[in-house]
Each structure stands twice: as structure tokens, then as C-alpha cells.
Amino acid sequence: MKPIRKNEEISWGHFDQCHGGQGILNCKSLLDECDSQQFPFMHFDDMKAGVSIGVHEHTSTEEIYYLMSGAGILTYDGVEYEMKPGDVSLCNIGHSHGFLATEDSVLIVVG
């Protein structure tokens, strides 16, 4: 990987019903398994209000959600938590999580 990846070089992907969630998730893959030995992926998710990442379990990897803008509901092991900009959540191995954007939101996801 080059020492910097320019934003304009990164294309958008569109995922319908991510992990069984609702709506279309617009995503830029900032890193993938070819870029890093420590982080299998890092992506920038642009989520309209009502779009969600369905609740899913982590059996072999951890995952971080960092909310940059907007607002949403994090579901972690069946319990709902409000998320606001600057909030971060770590889903450890053996736990489950998902996210519902209650406002237009930008979520950074690192796994």
C-alpha cells in the first residue's frame, strides 16, 4: 500500500441489507486484508436515517464502531444504546452488535 490513499481514489460500494439490516449502506473501503496484517478492514459508512447494519455475532474477530456524525442506536448483546458523534464501541469476540442510523450518519468501522 502507498503511504497515503487519497479520498478521490477510493470508490463507493453500495450494500443492500448489510448483515440483514435495512436499506442501502454506502461504503468506502479505506483498508482491506491486502493493506494491513493487523486490521482486516476499515471502512467509511455513509448511512441515511433508517439504514442499519443488522445485528451479527463476532466469532473470530473484534470490530470497532466510531460515530463521526449523526446519531443512532447501537445494539450490543441485545441491549440498545444511544450513540452520538465521538462515541466509540468495541465488539469483542463472542459478542454481537448492530447499528441503526436515526439521523443521516457517518460511521467508521474497523475490524
Side-chain angles (χ1 to χ4, degrees):
M1 179 177 165
K2 300 183 290 187
I4 186 170
R5 182 177 282 171
K6 296 289 192 171
N7 183 50
E8 60 270 10
E9 298 170 351
I10 304 169
S11 60
W12 285 99
H14 310 283
F15 301 93
D16 192 21
Q17 300 177 342
C18 181
H19 289 293
Q22 298 295 313
I24 297 174
L25 177 73
N26 299 309
C27 173
K28 280 190 171 190
S29 181
L30 306 176
L31 294 175
D32 62 31
E33 65 277 353
C34 298
D35 299 319
S36 171
Q37 296 175 5
Q38 297 293 319
F39 305 105
F41 65 88
M42 177 179 181
H43 47 91
F44 176 103
D45 294 345
D46 183 9
M47 303 174 70
K48 297 293 181 195
V51 172
S52 66
I53 299 170
V55 174
H56 56 285
E57 185 175 0
H58 283 263
T59 58
S60 60
T61 61
E62 295 180 313
E63 191 170 77
I64 298 167
Y65 287 171
Y66 175 75
L67 188 61
M68 291 186 59
S69 65
I73 302 296
L74 168 76
T75 301
Y76 190 94
D77 288 343
V79 179
E80 293 184 347
Y81 301 90
E82 182 178 346
M83 286 189 78
K84 295 182 179 179
D87 291 349
V88 63
S89 174
L90 170 64
C91 186
N92 297 106
I93 294 170
H95 296 270
S96 63
H97 70 161
F99 180 81
L100 167 65
T102 56
E103 298 177 7
D104 291 353
S105 299
V106 173
L107 186 70
I108 300 296
V109 181
V110 181

